[in-house]
Amino acid sequence: VGGRLQSAVPAGALVARLGGDEFAVLLAKGADGPREAERIIALLGRPFLLHGHVITIGASVGIATAPADGCEAEELIRA
């Protein structure tokens, strides 16, 4: 999932695993967050083969922007 997520984001974006099945994506200022979220959801929703099994997953996305939703990492993650 992490590899697929990394391939879904634009160059220069940062993908981080927060724990378990939670990831964060940091986009550059001016990036179109909702459009990128749609791309991520679509790409993660495509079936993939893992050890001979077809796996399908889904994703939910929340978007927070600085400074409107906070300036500190903790504030943005909460938002």
Side-chain angles (χ1 to χ4, degrees), residues 4-55:
R4 187 175 277 199
L5 181 57
Q6 185 67 48
S7 73
V9 300
L14 175 68
V15 175
R17 184 174 178 200
L18 301 178
D21 61 354
E22 292 184 312
F23 292 84
V25 176
L26 301 176
L27 299 172
K29 183 177 181 177
D32 185 346
R35 183 179 62 97
E36 295 302 331
E38 288 177 12
R39 285 176 14 89
I40 289 168
I41 291 168
L43 186 61
L44 290 179
R46 293 182 188 163
F48 60 99
L49 191 61
L50 181 65
H51 303 295
H53 301 280
V54 176
I55 306 295

